[in-house]
Amino acid sequence: MSGNAISIDGVAVAFEPGQTIMQAAEAAGVYIPHLCHHPEFAPHGSCKLCTVKVNGRNGASCTVGAQPGMVVENNTAELNDGRRALTQMLFVEGNHFCPFCERSGNCQLQAVAYFLNMTSPHFEHFYPPREVDASHPEVLLDRNRCILCELCVRASREVDGKNVFGIAGRGIQARLVVNSHSGRLGDTGLAATDKAVQVCPVGAIIRKGTAFRVPVGKRLYDQAPISEVGTHVTGQGHGKT
Amino acid sequence: MAKLRVATTSLAGCFGCHMSFLDIDERLFSLVEAVEFDRSPLTDIKRCGPCDIGIVEGGVCNAENVHVLREFRRNCRILVAIGACAINGGVPAMRNNIDLWDCFQEVYQYEGGTEGRVVPNDPELPLPFDKVHPIYEVVKVDYFLPGCPPPADAIWRLLTDLAAGREPRLDYTMLHYD
């Protein structure tokens, strides 16, 4: 291997200087499971699903810069076992009930779980009490399904310029909060067309009145895995953007 | 070859998984050639005897569910959790963050339709739990088949794989949580 290239599972992948392993993989069409990463935003490195082995050591591929000659392991049984355990923990930490979630079939958490062949959440459920905020006329906020990826926080701050969302509390107390005097979404300047509404990878931020335009069974991840159809669903269940 | 003995039950479920099971349609004829049913809503046998495969739909929401589940675990060589409720509590678990007494009042006291508007308190009624739990939080479960309900093809695949002594393997479209 020569020049600006790394090896991912034995396949040479070219990269531009400054790219992360994740960015190089995406450009080459190589799927690395992830949830908090989004190509339009700076790396966050919090969900750890994109953990790969880099020259024998674990690292989050969304934060590790590609270097010439790096040997990266990605789609291995060991790494996918770890990713499945992380995904199972995300499921039991929240209240993720796919049968009655509007995002089912377009949900990236669900899609990653399908990809990893997760048949049960394995761990004991927390069933944490989480609040639903339906005060906004066009947008529903259901914290039961929030995985704290902070994509809405980043999008609202960096793209929408509104700073509507934030994370408060630590550890198991961490929760998505709304920046308004009442703490309610209806009292913010959030618009249904905001980037913050579109980037939610799960069913936590839902645009009202649109959720069932595409029926369950005909959605993005119903027929093909996320590794083939990609991750960038608009927030509204219209399919791939 | 001796027939496989299979038991099925619905705990805190809606029998939708059993309905999906019946959706294997004409394959039921092949199934009864290979399988004999023990305790099941299909046979109305009340107690589970020694079985090869136990199929459990629904989560655990009261004391009776636990008794039945433990009876299945004691008697079944392979225990299968089938459907969303058995795997994460499902729709019944929507009450998990509502106070149980508030639920009872809403159902029996505030709304009309129940005689005398009293909460039933017969000693024969099983004790409800404050939360609904998936069955794997109570007993060891060998295989899981998600879905609400799982498609008939997935149920057929699981049963035929297990009957043949194979590790069950689902196609991508057979594995879904909704």
Side-chain angles (χ1 to χ4, degrees):
Chain A
M1 199 183 306
S2 61
N4 286 335
I6 59 175
S7 145
I8 302 182
D9 292 335
V11 177
V13 170
F15 68 91
E16 303 289 327
Q19 277 187 327
T20 60
I21 295 172
M22 174 68 83
Q23 286 167 336
E26 284 193 325
V30 174
Y31 175 66
I32 302 177
H34 60 270
L35 286 168
C36 72
H37 163 78
H38 188 292
E40 295 171 39
F41 294 94
H44 198 248
S46 61
C47 78
K48 302 299 177 195
L49 273 182
C50 73
T51 298
V52 292
K53 262 197 176 24
V54 185
N55 296 337
R57 295 180 61 178
N58 284 355
S61 62
C62 71
T63 58
V64 178
Q67 300 292 331
M70 264 183 174
V71 177
V72 177
E73 290 173 50
N74 169 39
N75 194 14
T76 68
E78 179 191 342
L79 287 166
N80 284 337
D81 282 350
R83 291 165 178 160
R84 192 182 311 111
L86 288 175
T87 308
Q88 288 168 322
M89 287 189 239
L90 285 172
F91 267 84
V92 300
E93 271 182 22
N95 296 303
H96 298 281
F97 295 104
C98 304
F100 49 87
C101 177
E102 300 92 324
R103 188 57 53 80
S104 190
N106 286 330
C107 169
Q108 291 179 32
L109 177 66
Q110 186 189 56
V112 165
Y114 290 168
F115 174 80
L116 296 168
N117 199 29
M118 180 188 116
T119 57
S120 91
H122 181 78
F123 300 104
E124 196 167 320
H125 284 72
F126 286 40
Y127 297 124
R130 299 257 186 96
E131 292 195 356
V132 176
D133 181 346
S135 60
H136 194 286
E138 293 181 275
V139 179
L140 172 72
L141 172 59
D142 187 343
R143 294 180 176 87
N144 289 292
R145 305 161 182 168
C146 179
I147 56 169
L148 303 172
C149 68
E150 293 198 32
L151 274 169
C152 61
V153 177
R154 289 179 272 166
S156 186
R157 184 178 61 223
E158 295 166 23
V159 179
D160 305 328
K162 296 182 180 176
N163 217 16
V164 167
F165 297 103
I167 304 289
R170 298 179 68 83
I172 196 62
Q173 304 298 329
R175 63 204 181 277
L176 188 65
V177 291
V178 170
N179 183 17
S180 68
H181 63 278
S182 62
R184 284 153 64 88
L185 206 54
D187 295 324
T188 68
L190 182 82
T193 50
D194 282 357
K195 190 76 175 174
V197 178
Q198 295 164 20
V199 289
C200 181
V202 293
I205 301 176
I206 295 270
R207 193 167 171 178
K208 293 179 181 177
T210 64
F212 289 102
R213 280 186 184 162
V214 179
V216 167
K218 295 195 182 305
R219 298 183 174 188
L220 189 62
Y221 304 124
D222 286 338
Q223 302 301 324
I226 190 168
S227 55
E228 290 174 19
V229 296
T231 54
H232 310 308
V233 187
T234 70
Q236 314 317 326
H238 296 311
K240 197 178 177 185
T241 55
Chain B
M1 199 174 83
K3 284 187 171 184
L4 282 178
R5 209 160 169 85
V6 175
T8 77
T9 190
S10 177
L11 306 177
C14 70
F15 280 91
C17 296
H18 276 79
M19 298 306 292
S20 192
F21 177 32
L22 295 178
D23 267 347
I24 63 174
D25 296 334
E26 67 270 22
R27 286 170 288 186
L28 278 166
F29 292 109
S30 324
L31 188 71
V32 292
E33 296 291 315
V35 157
E36 193 164 22
F37 282 97
D38 194 278
R39 175 177 175 159
S40 167
L42 309 174
T43 59
D44 211 23
I45 296 172
K46 305 297 185 194
R47 287 281 175 269
C48 182
C51 286
D52 297 293
I53 302 171
I55 297 173
V56 180
E57 167 193 342
V60 174
C61 79
N62 62 33
E64 195 245 354
N65 291 157
V66 175
H67 288 299
V68 175
L69 181 58
R70 286 183 173 156
E71 179 186 288
F72 267 65
R73 181 65 279 184
R74 271 199 311 274
N75 285 288
C76 301
R77 193 165 54 84
I78 298 170
L79 195 67
V80 182
I82 180 173
C85 303
I87 292 173
N88 80 342
V91 171
M94 285 180 91
R95 75 163 166 86
N96 278 2
N97 283 305
I98 302 171
D99 180 81
L100 191 56
W101 185 244
D102 287 348
C103 278
F104 283 156
Q105 287 185 311
E106 187 67 35
V107 172
Y108 295 107
Q109 296 189 327
Y110 298 157
E111 296 296 323
T114 53
E115 201 173 332
R117 296 198 175 184
V118 291
V119 176
N121 193 24
D122 191 287
E124 285 204 355
L125 290 174
L127 191 69
F129 296 155
D130 64 340
K131 280 185 166 50
V132 181
H133 293 271
I135 65 168
Y136 70 78
E137 291 184 11
V138 180
V139 298
K140 179 183 183 293
V141 174
D142 300 301
Y143 295 102
F144 298 87
L145 184 57
C148 187
D153 286 344
I155 298 173
W156 176 249
R157 171 71 66 82
L158 180 103
L159 282 175
T160 48
D161 278 355
L162 288 178
R166 287 189 298 265
E167 193 70 13
R169 209 185 58 77
L170 298 177
D171 299 340
Y172 181 81
T173 53
M174 290 180 182
L175 176 69
H176 60 72
Y177 304 158
D178 53 15

